[in-house]
Amino acid sequence: MHFLHIDWNPSKGIDLSFFTLHYYSMMWIVAFILGFYIMKRIYKNENESNESLDSLFIYSVVGIMLGARLGHVIFYQPELFKEDFFSVFLPFSFKGGIHFTGFQGLASHGAAMAMIVSMYLYNKKVLKKSVLWILDRVVIPVASGAVFVRFGNFINSEIIGKPTNSDYGVVFTKLGEDFPRHPAQLYEAICYVFVFLILFYFYWKTKKSEQEGFLFGLFLVLLWTVRFFVEFVKEAQVEERATWALNTGQWLSIPFILIGLYFMFVYKPKSKLS
C-alpha cells in the first residue's frame, strides 16, 4: 500500500530575479489557453468569427478571475476588505510593505457567478445571440479548466482533505504535518475530467446542443454535485464553520444544482416571432 501513501512537499514555483512564478498561476494560464483552443474549435463548427472569439477570451479572463477573487473574499475571508483592501483586487499584499503574492484565494462559486454575468455582457455587446447559446458552449472549456485549477490547489497544499486515519493518503509536509489526508483536490480534478468528457460528448455526438440551456444545466448539475460530495472529505476553509452539518461550499453548491436541473428538464425557450 506504499504507493497509496505520498509525502508531498513541492516548491511553490520558479524563482525569478524579481518574483516567483507560482505553479498555481501557471495552472490558471494553462486552463485559459486550453479553453481558448477548445472554444476555437467550437466557434469554427458554429461558423463564428475569430474576432468574436478574441473578445470572448477577454471577457472570460477578466470576469472569471475577478469573480473568483471576490467570491473567495466575500464567502471565506471578508476581513480582507478592512485589513488589506487593495489585495482583494491586486496580486499584492500591502500589509507590512508591498509583497507580490499572485492571486491567492480564488473561489469557484464566485467564478461561476461571474462567468454568467460576463457571458451576458459579452453576448449583449459582441455575440448578440441568446445568452444561453454561449453558456451552453463555454461550459465545455470551463470544465476542462477546473481540472488544472484543482491540480494547482494540490501543488500549493491548499484546500486540503480531512485525515484518513490510515496509511492511505497524502502527507502535506509543507504544512508541518506527518499524517496522511485525503487528496481532495485530486478527487475533484479527476471527477472534472469526466465532467468535461461528458459535456464534450453531448456537444459533438448528440443533438443536445440544439436544446437551449441543456448543456449549461448539465454542467451545473455535474460539476456542483461533484463539489458537494467531495466537500465531505475536505477540511472546512473557515474554522468557525467546521461544526456545520454542511459546509459553505456545499450550501453554495445546492442552488447551482437546482438551477441546472431546471435548465435540463423544465426550461422552455421562448418561441421566436416570425
Side-chain angles (χ1 to χ4, degrees):
M1 294 289 289
H2 289 293
F3 69 98
L4 295 176
H5 179 104
I6 301 172
D7 292 327
W8 186 248
N9 187 24
S11 63
K12 279 190 173 182
I14 303 171
D15 288 322
L16 302 176
S17 58
F18 51 96
F19 76 101
T20 299
L21 180 59
H22 291 266
Y23 292 125
Y24 180 61
S25 299
M26 292 170 64
M27 291 298 101
W28 275 89
I29 292 170
V30 170
F32 279 120
I33 291 175
L34 178 61
F36 176 83
Y37 282 102
I38 292 172
M39 280 305 294
K40 185 175 183 179
R41 182 176 175 186
I42 291 173
Y43 264 38
K44 183 177 180 180
N45 182 60
E46 302 285 354
N47 295 315
E48 291 295 328
S49 69
N50 288 331
E51 289 76 14
S52 61
L53 177 62
D54 293 339
S55 297
L56 173 63
F57 184 77
I58 295 170
Y59 275 84
S60 299
V61 172
V62 174
I64 290 175
M65 293 301 294
L66 183 60
R69 182 60 180 155
L70 282 174
H72 171 82
V73 175
I74 292 170
F75 298 132
Y76 299 105
Q77 207 175 358
E79 67 274 7
L80 272 185
F81 284 117
K82 182 183 294 185
E83 297 175 359
D84 195 4
F85 179 78
F86 291 105
S87 71
V88 175
F89 304 97
L90 298 172
F92 295 91
S93 172
F94 296 89
K95 293 180 67 175
I98 301 176
H99 308 284
F100 178 81
T101 59
F103 284 107
Q104 296 181 338
L106 301 170
S108 53
H109 294 92
M113 295 176 194
M115 180 192 73
I116 295 171
V117 173
S118 61
M119 290 304 98
Y120 168 80
L121 295 174
Y122 165 75
N123 180 68
K124 185 176 182 180
K125 298 290 186 180
V126 180
L127 197 62
K128 303 186 186 303
K129 288 180 178 284
S130 157
V131 67
L132 282 174
W133 185 95
I134 184 60
L135 287 173
D136 280 334
R137 287 150 181 82
V138 80
V139 293
I140 301 172
V142 167
S144 72
V147 177
F148 294 95
V149 172
R150 279 296 175 253
F151 188 67
N153 294 138
F154 180 70
I155 293 174
N156 270 7
S157 300
E158 61 190 10
I159 313 183
I160 55 176
K162 295 178 180 178
T164 62
N165 299 317
S166 69
D167 291 334
Y168 162 76
V170 175
V171 179
F172 294 99
T173 55
K174 187 170 74 173
L175 304 179
E177 299 178 347
D178 60 359
F179 56 89
R181 293 178 176 273
H182 286 283
Q185 314 96 321
L186 297 184
Y187 296 163
E188 273 193 77
I190 292 169
C191 289
Y192 292 159
V193 170
F194 290 100
V195 173
F196 166 72
L197 292 175
I198 291 169
L199 291 169
F200 195 83
Y201 170 81
F202 271 94
Y203 176 78
W204 289 104
K205 301 297 183 180
T206 74
K207 294 185 178 295
K208 283 299 184 180
S209 62
E210 299 174 8
Q211 182 181 331
E212 190 173 78
F214 180 86
L215 290 178
F216 174 59
L218 180 62
F219 165 81
L220 294 179
V221 171
L222 292 176
L223 188 128
W224 299 112
T225 298
V226 168
R227 177 70 185 270
F228 182 88
F229 284 105
V230 174
E231 289 290 327
F232 281 115
V233 295
K234 281 186 187 177
E235 290 284 13
Q237 294 187 58
V238 180
E239 190 174 344
E240 292 77 10
R241 305 172 192 172
T243 57
W244 291 9
L246 299 178
N247 65 28
T248 306
Q250 290 171 312
W251 283 114
L252 292 172
S253 296
I254 292 172
F256 284 107
I257 295 171
L258 295 177
I259 293 169
L261 290 171
Y262 169 78
F263 279 110
M264 287 179 70
F265 302 113
V266 178
Y267 173 77
K268 300 294 182 186
K270 297 178 181 178
S271 58
K272 296 179 181 179
L273 297 176
S274 56

